DNA sequence: AAATTTAATTGTTTTTATGACAAATAAAAT
DNA sequence: ATTTTATTTGTCATAAAAACAATTAAATTT
């Protein structure tokens, strides 16, 4: 069998990228969904996605798609799974490489692109999505928990300056549990990743809580390291 | 723009699956490589791979390919990354979904399929591979370490009956370090996953080491759980 | 048959991390 | 000045981990 003959028989697929965009509004973990503007399933909610172009890697495509939706560049993006069930897209055979993204919700600019109608939903209560997008969200949530249990990625969801109580409420919502505030604060500070600021945030209490910033240098160095950031992971994950 | 018009412009890709097959010979962690029997790069070493068929998911394809190489079914398989750089395959645009597999090296039957010449190589010293397969192996190794640090997957590499020293040498080679044997044994036994056998393996010592079997039921139940299997993960990972 | 050797197994102690809880503190509101 | 509320710091009991030591089993040598 010649090389040409072999290659002739090979099925070709359209390749899509779908993005689960996580945000945190100060209280709840959210995902960004779009209302589909084209068939099939026009008018239904879905993840933000698109097709991979000729000259692109999926990473490049994901960044491009994310920028078209949020206007943001340099977002934290992580490829986490490729979905390829033969019947996942009823119109045509498509495989989808799924990414999750973490953004500071405050930086998100609405309607920079009017092609899609986008909206934030609580991760715990979002509408029925098209195709296998519900599965994609659930797996993304699991992967986020798994990764965040030992890596310091959740800071990507916070603004530059944040308080310890805010950080704790983020962790509590991501892991769907609650922590002792004293122990949480001590564990976080022991990582040496936080730099205490002079100012306080007094919007939530009378005493006010000190702002902290991330030590970017230290953060980059320790991103990959295993830290035990959450108590009793087995009870949660 | 009509739906038909849009879909016309979409690039289609051939989709491949590549498998990193891990094995353990009692001393060293190994990977199974094949010598390519067809162009391009005929005669060079590569990972075992193949194209995804029309009616298959990538999981199905990976299992099919793995069976054709090893004769084994029901192998532990985990999709870990999709490689999609536009220039990764010089012949045609292909994206590859990569899997790593864990098998009991003793069950592997050589040359059930003479289409490929296969050979085991130490993970620390394997030949130059085609395309981006070197990257694939390195990432697979990382992912294996990452997962094995908190999940009990390494047992998939061992025969049904194994000794604690053998288990320890596997862990030591995977994590490229050494552990205190007393502490290691206590930690492993504390998982309640091991059932002590009556017989001993006396091939490696005068005293002999007791065989253990996996408690399959307990094992299945704990597969998803997060355990702390290796000491001082921060120093290693 | 006793002594020696080797590696497996079990035991002890020190050290560190964890979790539960309590106290002190800061600043606004009364 | 006092009360209130939430943040921040502190204490202590417990448990796990790591380092290290001792014992044991069985083959080999003397």
């Amino acid at each position: 069998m010649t090389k040409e003959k072999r290659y002739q028989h090979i099925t070709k697929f359209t390749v899509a990228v779908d993005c689960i965009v996580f945000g945190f509004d100060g209280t709840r973990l959210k995902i960004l969904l779009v209302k589909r503007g084209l068939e099939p399933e026009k008018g239904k909610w879905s993840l933000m996605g698109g097709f991979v172009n000729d000259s692109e890697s999926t990473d490049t495509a994901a960044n491009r798609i994310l920028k078209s939706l949020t206007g943001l560049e340099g977002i934290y993006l992580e490829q986490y799974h490729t979905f390829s069930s033969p019947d996942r897209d009823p119109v045509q055979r498509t495989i989808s490489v799924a990414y999750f993204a973490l953004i500071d919700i405050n930086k998100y600019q609405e309607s920079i692109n009017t092609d899609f109608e986008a909206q934030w939903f609580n991760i715990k209560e979002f509408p029925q999505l098209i195709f296998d997008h519900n599965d994609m969200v659930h797996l993304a949530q699991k992967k986020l928990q798994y990764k965040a249990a030992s890596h310091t990625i959740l800071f990507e969801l916070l603004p530059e300056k944040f308080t310890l109580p805010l950080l704790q409420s983020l962790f509590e919502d991501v892991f769907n549990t609650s922590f002792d505030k004293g122990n949480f604060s001590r564990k976080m500070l022991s990582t040496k990743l936080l730099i205490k600021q002079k100012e306080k945030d007094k919007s939530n209490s009378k005493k006010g809580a000190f702002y902290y910033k991330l030590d970017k240098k230290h953060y980059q160095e320790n991103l990959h390291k295993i830290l035990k950031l959450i108590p009793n992971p087995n009870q949660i994950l």
Side-chain angles (χ1 to χ4, degrees), chain A:
Chain A
M1 194 184 254
T2 67
K3 168 184 143 193
E4 286 68 29
K5 202 96 181 266
R6 284 192 103 99
Y7 271 61
Q8 259 180 6
H9 290 164
I10 296 165
T11 312
K12 291 203 170 194
F13 301 78
T14 50
V15 176
V17 158
D18 284 300
C19 300
I20 289 83
V21 181
F22 288 106
F24 182 62
D25 66 356
T27 313
R28 298 288 172 194
L29 186 67
K30 307 255 183 182
I31 54 172
L32 189 59
L33 301 174
V34 296
K35 198 174 260 180
R36 272 178 80 89
L38 73 158
E39 296 296 346
E41 307 274 10
K42 185 173 175 177
K44 293 199 181 170
W45 292 102
S46 81
L47 294 169
M48 185 65 197
F51 295 107
V52 179
N53 292 335
D54 203 13
S55 58
E56 285 179 323
S57 68
T58 54
D59 281 12
T60 308
N63 275 296
R64 168 178 55 79
I65 288 162
L66 225 48
K67 193 189 171 189
S68 78
L69 174 68
T70 65
L72 300 173
E73 288 183 271
I75 292 175
Y76 181 93
L77 250 183
E78 186 168 332
Q79 183 201 307
Y80 73 92
H81 196 75
T82 294
F83 293 80
S84 64
S85 172
D87 55 357
R88 57 174 297 281
D89 181 331
V91 175
Q92 66 170 168
R93 186 69 206 277
T94 307
I95 76 163
S96 172
V97 183
Y99 287 76
F100 68 81
L102 306 178
I103 72 168
D104 172 0
I105 209 168
N106 306 301
K107 286 190 184 156
Y108 167 70
Q109 308 152 11
E110 210 160 341
S111 61
I112 58 136
N113 190 331
T114 50
D115 284 3
F116 0 83
E117 184 183 331
Q119 199 177 308
W120 291 101
F121 289 88
N122 282 345
I123 188 69
K124 280 160 195 157
E125 45 203 18
F126 58 88
Q128 186 66 35
L129 305 177
I130 64 163
F131 304 169
D132 52 359
H133 287 196
N134 281 73
D135 297 337
M136 288 182 173
V137 173
H138 287 128
L139 188 59
Q141 197 183 358
K142 264 194 178 171
K143 294 270 180 177
L144 176 65
Q145 287 185 344
Y146 187 59
K147 180 114 191 204
S150 52
H151 295 81
T152 53
I153 57 172
L154 292 185
F155 294 99
E156 302 285 345
L157 293 164
L158 296 174
E160 202 187 358
K161 291 191 299 181
F162 53 86
T163 65
L164 280 176
L166 183 74
L167 184 62
Q168 182 171 350
S169 72
L170 169 58
F171 269 77
E172 291 184 336
D173 203 54
V174 167
F175 292 105
N176 203 28
T177 183
S178 62
F179 306 121
D180 177 277
K181 55 189 171 177
N183 296 335
F184 182 85
S185 135
R186 212 158 343 104
K187 183 165 283 181
M188 280 299 162
L189 294 176
S190 76
T191 65
K192 307 278 184 190
L193 253 55
L194 303 184
I195 304 170
K196 195 174 195 170
Q197 304 301 113
K198 293 250 168 57
E199 323 102 86
K200 280 184 166 183
D201 165 33
K202 292 186 180 167
S203 59
N204 294 304
S205 76
K206 293 157 188 169
K207 182 178 177 181
F210 280 105
Y211 279 116
Y212 286 84
K213 277 189 182 177
L214 253 192
D215 184 338
K216 297 276 183 190
K217 191 171 175 302
H218 224 241
Y219 175 60
Q220 292 300 337
E221 284 165 4
N222 287 286
L223 243 180
H224 64 288
K225 280 201 188 164
I226 300 269
L227 304 171
K228 205 189 161 209
L229 294 173
I230 60 162
N232 294 325
N234 283 322
Q235 292 170 24
I236 298 163
L237 294 177

